Amino acid sequence: MADGPVAEVLLRRLETADGGLDSAELATELGVEHQTVVGAVKSLQALGEIIETELRSSKRWELTAEGEEIAQEGSHEARVFRSIPPEGLPQSELMRLPSGKVGFSKAMSNKWIRVDKSAADGPRVFRVVDSVEDEVQRRLQLVQGGQAEKLGEKERSELRKRKLLTEVTLKTYWVSKGSAFSTSISKQETELSPEMISSGSWRDRPFKPYNFSAHGVLPDSGHLHPLLKVRSQFRQIFLEMGFTEMPTDNYIESSFWNFDALFQPQQHPARDQHDTFFLRDPAQAQQLPMDYVHRVKRTHSQGGYGSQGYKYNWKLDEARKNLLRTHTTASSARALYHLAQKKPFTPAKYFSIDRVFRNETLDATHLAEFHQIEGVVADHGLTLGHLMGVLREFFTKLGITQLRFKPAYNPYTEPSMEVFSYHQGLKKWVEVGNSGIFRPEMLLPMGLPENVSVIAWGLSLERPTMIKYGINNIRELVGHKVNLQMVYDSPLCRLDAERGPPSTQEAA
Amino acid sequence: MPTVSVKRDLLFRALGRTYTDEEFDELCFEFGLELDEITSEKEIISKEQGNEKAHGASDVVLYKIDVPANRYDLLCLEGLVRGLQVFKERIKTPMYKRVMPKGEIQKLIITEETAKIRPYAVAAVLRNIKFTKDRYDSFIELQEKLHQNICRKRALVAIGTHDLDTLSGPFTYTAKKPSDIKFKPLNKSKEYTACELMNIYKTDNQLKHYLHIIENKPLYPVIYDSNGVVLSMPPIINGNHSKITVNTKNVFIECTGTDFTKAKIVLDVIVTMFSEYCDNQFTVEAAEVVFPNGKLHSFPELAYRKEMVRADLINKKVGIRETPENLAKLLTRMCLKSEVIGDGNQIEVEIPPTRADIIHACDIIEDAAIAYGYNNIQMTLPKTYTIANQFPLNKLTELLRQDIAAAGFTEALTFALCSQEDIADKLGMDISATKAIHISNPKTAEFQVARTTLLPGLLKTIAANRKMPLPLKLFEISDIVIKDSSRDVGARNYRHLCAVYYNKNPGFEIIHGLLDRIMQLLDVPPGEKKGGYAIKASEGSAFFPGRCAEIFARGQSIGKLGVLHPDVITKFELTMPCSCVEINIEPFL
């Protein structure tokens, strides 16, 4: 249609037009439907900057079907008048004419005709005047000729009441030249084809412009889970810092490795049924490193290695109880024990990120299983200042630079410090991790040299992920109730590149 | 972490100055406490029971302060104030003294019947104490805090405090048949037998939690005075006769328990905290306990212990350079009176009876660091040079998940714990055939077992996302757990890879194609020879008959693939055909 005759005419007229032209006027001039011109305008619009258009709406008077008929044939009253011969016409006959009923009463009130009720064969109608001016027809013809404005308000409303006229709103385009105006347009190609490339015809062909505001079609793709994307980044950070990954592929632990080895006394509340998942089957760990177990037992019950101990009756059966590990520190204990068996001692930096299990009350931010991130450095002469230094580097890589440290208590670290960072959104210090230096009562029974210190810290994987992706309910992130659309839509995980979730989430 | 609730104005009066909330928060942070909440009784009641109930309640401002779990000496206003005042060097840490009474010493005789239930008891007397309403409330509240924490909900230790002037020693701690114990318990107007009491307290919101400690024992512990008046039936309830009030002048304290060390600590904490209000401040009247073997012990122990710590060790462990004198000063601010002795590098530290948490030099070093200020310590990087290694199984997992996502599958993350039904019934299997580990104390069926397959988690993920456009292509690489008697704990993890295709058609060829792609990624050629892979018709209860194959690679069976049985689909509340593959990836390490 773009290269149809109407569009071409439009462009030619526009070339010589002063300022622009109206689509409705053009339709009248060309004697075509207005819709045809509108179609031409739209197809030219799609070509870009050839024309500029402005949508205008105007009110216009139009004849109704009956009005059209009257403009053609004359008003009903005039037709009644004309149908009466000089000798008159019986009223009954007149009433049978198509315009009879309406025409009769109008002609009567116009005093164009009279009725002789005394006539022999019933009432008879006669002309009163010789000729009449059909004012209604004249007025309708004026409207038809586009000169409705020549009629008075009163006259128009009378015709409207007679349902001969109606007011319509007309949408027209005011068309003017665009920045790329040209009268020579030809059919535009939608896409480049191999044939065009080989024939070179693309050089001479115009191409239909793209609508760049439309959305693209998303690729069919797989997606990685956001929590595990964050896990990958944490692994990356540890690897960048020279930390070796510990094996953590053992969800089942003995109480020994999970608690006793960490110098956590057997009456400690964490060892309660309310906090820990114990196993019914297999209920007990059959193999424990007994030499080491004895050293652990002695340290708990009697002390040693400079410690007073906890002075209670340590029971092997309690240590054998199997459980779902409550922290990855159980794996760290195994790794450190393993390290202690290697002579001579070699410094080590370890990390792990894996699942841990707690028999806790569940809510919007707590699940029975979550991921723990843990970092450990073992070397001669490590200090609290070293721990803080390593934490500073670690958190800087997460994009967290404002840190402060609070004294805290952990059963297996001393000194212990909680790590706080200033949260810009919440305008307060929030805890981002826990850390400390492992107690000598944990390290020395393992066989590590006395002057070796082990610094360690931990945090959960879920919390930073929820903050990063603005998720308030942990179930939307972890577990089968995950919102897959969220997985599909989640961006890359660049921990140091952005700060926090969108502001609305921060407020919540 | 225990939370101690103190009246703000009372606290500030005791501290001798006021603080803004921010200033006090800052002080807490520095000292290792946390100002958890600023509230009032009115606010608490209104929050818990609605505004109406709160009408008329006190709107005195309360500070709720989180205290480290090992600092029993900070569990009441008296202890907090003492700790902070010493920390700020406004007062010196008091010396607690055990004194002998002018008259006869109070005696508590333990009979051997207690041996099987609650063998230990300790006792002491607070003489000429002056309570006020606030002090009395704090005294009761401290006992409650101790009961909840170090006493492990009264299982290890239970405390009884009595108006000594209503009693007459010596006291006997014994154990009797419940039907033979009869007394008027605290705040009741008539006598009950122990059996009756245990029944009555079943509906008592506070006491019902302690009944289990003695409920099934043939004998119940009980303490009598020389006239047969019941002081208490530990760990449940005290007698009404010896009930203490604001007007009580002399308090007899007994602690019974199964852990002797903790009983002694608890007694020390109570008397050190409240001897402050005795006429003779910080002195405690001794009581004598006669053990069944006839041995005599005086309590409270109020033992002071001396530890020697080298100044350079503290500096080295913390990473600071302070003079021994300064370090001694820092420690003294933590209620650990210290002085430099010997070669000028030795610090002699006195551990008071309030600081049972100090059991090793590292505890002393921590206190020095706290007093120095954690945030004043220079951050440094350790020179530890190490080469990083990935755990090979995780390395393989990371590589595979990238490429499986690239193959158009979306990663799921499902729970390792689930119900027996998920891994057995729903897959048409008997639970005994799964070799699953079983949890002994699950709160709900969701935590009965650890998964033995990743499939149920993925199917549940689809069920929760049925509104998503089809097809759904999901995968997960994670651990499952199987019993294995060759392992120290009797179970082991296996790293599995599972993928599902869910659509209007089963799409077996798509899942098969994914397997081919995975084998390509793992550099395993098709064909059974030379460590290649092949699939062979098989069957499985979860699969549609004739639509299941076993996967062999590197000479062993590594898993199965196929179209799921309609029963399985229905049991997981799904409606479309579904095919899946699940393999163990450990053979490809």
Side-chain angles (χ1 to χ4, degrees), chain B residues 259-485:
Chain B
D259 186 318
F260 192 37
T261 312
K262 288 203 163 64
K264 290 190 285 191
I265 293 173
V266 168
L267 184 67
D268 277 353
V269 170
I270 295 177
V271 298
T272 52
M273 292 301 113
F274 282 86
S275 56
E276 183 176 342
Y277 302 132
C278 289
D279 271 359
N280 213 345
Q281 250 193 343
F282 303 119
T283 63
V284 185
E285 183 178 309
E288 210 162 57
V289 175
V290 186
F291 284 82
N293 61 9
K295 281 200 176 148
L296 285 178
H297 285 269
S298 270
F299 295 103
E301 283 195 339
L302 293 184
Y304 281 82
R305 187 175 93 238
K306 293 244 159 87
E307 293 271 0
M308 235 38 113
V309 189
R310 293 183 64 82
D312 56 359
L313 182 75
I314 298 178
N315 279 327
K316 239 173 73 183
K317 293 281 181 189
V318 180
I320 51 176
R321 279 188 194 160
E322 287 292 298
T323 62
E325 287 72 21
N326 276 345
L327 290 173
K329 253 189 221 158
L330 291 174
L331 287 170
T332 305
R333 281 176 54 206
M334 300 302 287
C335 293
L336 301 175
K337 223 165 79 187
S338 304
E339 52 183 334
V340 182
I341 56 156
D343 61 358
N345 192 19
Q346 289 281 5
I347 301 174
E348 188 185 69
V349 186
E350 187 179 66
I351 318 296
T354 44
R355 294 298 307 273
D357 60 298
I358 306 277
I359 56 176
H360 192 278
C362 68
D363 298 302
I364 296 170
I365 292 166
E366 177 181 71
D367 273 21
I370 293 172
Y372 182 84
Y374 276 6
N375 295 292
N376 298 325
I377 299 169
Q378 181 79 37
M379 297 188 204
T380 47
L381 273 181
K383 306 242 179 309
T384 314
Y385 182 82
T386 51
I387 302 292
N389 286 304
Q390 302 185 51
F391 181 50
L393 185 58
N394 291 355
K395 185 176 183 178
L396 177 64
T397 302
E398 285 290 293
L399 289 170
L400 270 178
R401 46 190 284 276
Q402 300 282 344
D403 266 305
I404 292 173
F409 282 72
T410 291
E411 189 172 35
L413 174 62
T414 68
F415 296 126
L417 305 184
C418 59
S419 66
Q420 289 190 17
E421 207 191 359
D422 283 343
I423 55 164
D425 315 32
K426 286 185 181 174
L427 298 177
M429 273 174 84
D430 190 85
I431 186 70
S432 59
T434 60
K435 295 210 286 183
I437 63 98
H438 291 262
I439 293 167
S440 66
N441 57 333
K443 281 180 186 149
T444 68
E446 290 170 88
F447 312 117
Q448 288 173 326
V449 293
R451 63 185 172 198
T452 52
T453 153
L454 299 177
L455 181 62
L458 290 184
L459 295 179
K460 281 154 80 177
T461 307
I462 295 176
N465 284 279
R466 277 174 305 196
K467 60 179 195 305
M468 298 297 291
L470 295 174
L472 281 172
K473 298 196 272 185
L474 300 180
F475 81 97
E476 181 169 15
I477 309 181
S478 190
D479 285 358
I480 59 114
V481 185
I482 300 280
K483 280 199 285 182
D484 181 344
S485 58

Side-chain angles (χ1 to χ4, degrees), chain A residues 223 232 242 245 267 272 276 278 280-281 305 308 311 322 349 359 369 379 383 405 414 416 439, chain B residues 152 261 316 359-360 363 366 375 384 386 389-391 394 398 411 414 416 438 440-441 443 483 489:
Chain A
H223 308 265
S232 298
E245 194 169 27
Q267 314 82 3
D272 208 282
T276 300
F278 287 95
R280 191 183 81 217
D281 179 26
Y305 307 105
Q308 300 288 310
K311 302 194 173 96
N322 275 335
K349 294 197 290 210
N359 194 7
E369 50 189 278
D379 201 354
T383 69
F405 302 90
E414 190 84 8
S416 310
R439 295 191 70 98
Chain B
R152 298 289 294 118
T261 312
K316 239 173 73 183
I359 56 176
H360 192 278
D363 298 302
E366 177 181 71
N375 295 292
T384 314
T386 51
N389 286 304
Q390 302 185 51
F391 181 50
N394 291 355
E398 285 290 293
E411 189 172 35
T414 68
H438 291 262
S440 66
N441 57 333
K443 281 180 186 149
K483 280 199 285 182
V489 295

